[in-house]
Amino acid sequence: MTPFWGEVLGTMILILFGAGVCAGANLTKSYAKDAGWVVITLAWGLGVTLGIFAVGTISGAHLNPAVTVALAWVGDFAWSDVPLYILGQLIGAFIGACIIFLQYLPHWKATNDPGAKLGVFSTGPAIPHTFSNLLSEFLGTFVLLLGLQFIGAGAFTEGLNPIAVGLLIVAIGMAFGGTTGYAINPARDLGPRIAHAVLPIAGKGSSNWKYSWIPVVGPLLGGSLGALFHKAVFNNSLTTEFWIVLVVSVLVFGVAFFVSPKKVIS
């Protein structure tokens, strides 16, 4: 298996668990209906763990464009391989979402809430506020990449690393996920959102494309800065790339603050 197909398979596994638990918790007549946030974060974490175990030796199991881009920024991954990895991640996420659609086929018609259906596939803000929503995704992915660097630098037996990463995902979800659903992964949100847009889901409503840039841009900036921050602080290597990503982040947040609503919708 090539690294490209490793990323396809690993990301598909991730989405099977993640979208699967969201479907179980959201859709009418599911036995797991209203299972709650703890169940959702645990399933996402275990999905990441299994995805890493499955393809870690094949592709490195990035399973996330924010991870791929961040590793390229710090020199641990070739920029020339970034587009192929991201394509594989998007394809895997799309396929995983389509499989969950088929698994819960009769439940879509039984569910009246279009928002609950979209929530199976992609994230959305608890309170719409561009600046705060972007910050949530930025911060969650900053912590993710910082944590991945900590785990990689530790003395763990290599076989335990996927479990440590899965627990990190659970912790991020519990600590930071309540505001936006913690995409912290552009492929995890964009691939299934495309699936939601094209699949014949009964009464599905809008795919909320006006929000879709936030779980893409936020994780890419936050993850990149997290990895570069680790390199600067823990490896004593403050690079030009750090300042580039920092300046771009400040500019993007400035625009986000300007366009955010002055009155928060409750």
Side-chain angles (χ1 to χ4, degrees):
M1 183 182 295
T2 65
F4 169 79
W5 287 109
E7 288 298 295
V8 172
L9 178 61
T11 312
M12 183 192 75
I13 291 171
L14 163 63
I15 298 300
L16 285 176
F17 280 85
V21 72
C22 289
N26 285 1
L27 299 181
T28 300
K29 295 189 177 181
S30 161
Y31 286 132
K33 184 75 166 68
D34 300 322
W37 192 243
V38 172
V39 170
I40 290 172
T41 57
L42 284 172
W44 276 105
L46 291 170
V48 170
T49 297
L50 186 58
I52 297 172
F53 272 128
V55 302
T57 58
I58 298 170
S59 67
H62 295 186
L63 315 183
N64 182 343
V67 173
T68 300
V69 171
L71 293 179
W73 275 118
V74 297
D76 291 338
F77 189 72
W79 278 108
S80 59
D81 292 331
V82 168
L84 195 62
Y85 263 57
I86 292 177
L87 178 61
Q89 293 153 4
L90 286 169
I91 292 172
F94 179 86
I95 293 172
C98 290
I99 293 172
I100 294 303
F101 163 72
L102 292 174
Q103 186 202 355
Y104 281 88
L105 194 58
H107 293 263
W108 306 107
K109 188 174 182 180
T111 303
N112 293 322
D113 182 6
K117 298 173 187 179
L118 178 59
V120 173
F121 295 89
S122 57
T123 61
I127 298 177
H129 188 268
T130 304
F131 178 85
S132 298
N133 302 153
L134 183 65
L135 180 61
S136 293
E137 290 296 332
F138 179 96
L139 180 60
T141 321
F142 182 96
V143 172
L144 171 63
L145 265 296
L146 201 59
L148 290 177
Q149 298 291 330
F150 292 156
I151 292 168
F156 277 106
T157 301
E158 192 68 24
L160 294 178
N161 283 351
I163 297 173
V165 175
L167 290 173
L168 174 62
I169 297 296
V170 173
I172 290 172
M174 290 181 175
F176 303 106
T179 52
T180 61
Y182 85 121
I184 60 172
N185 180 341
R188 168 267 176 276
D189 190 273
L190 184 57
R193 195 183 296 270
I194 294 171
H196 177 272
V198 302
L199 288 171
I201 303 168
K204 64 181 177 181
S206 168
S207 298
N208 196 14
W209 287 106
K210 66 180 181 180
Y211 176 79
S212 64
W213 69 274
I214 289 177
V216 172
V217 174
L220 287 173
L221 291 176
S224 296
L225 196 63
L228 289 165
F229 176 84
H230 179 274
K231 185 174 183 177
V233 173
F234 292 90
N235 296 339
N236 297 314
S237 179
L238 184 60
T239 62
T240 303
E241 289 82 356
F242 173 86
W243 296 110
I244 292 173
V245 175
L246 180 62
V247 169
V248 171
S249 298
V250 169
L251 291 174
V252 171
F253 273 102
V255 173
F257 182 82
F258 179 77
V259 302
S260 293
K262 303 309 177 186
K263 293 183 179 180
V264 176
I265 300 172
S266 60

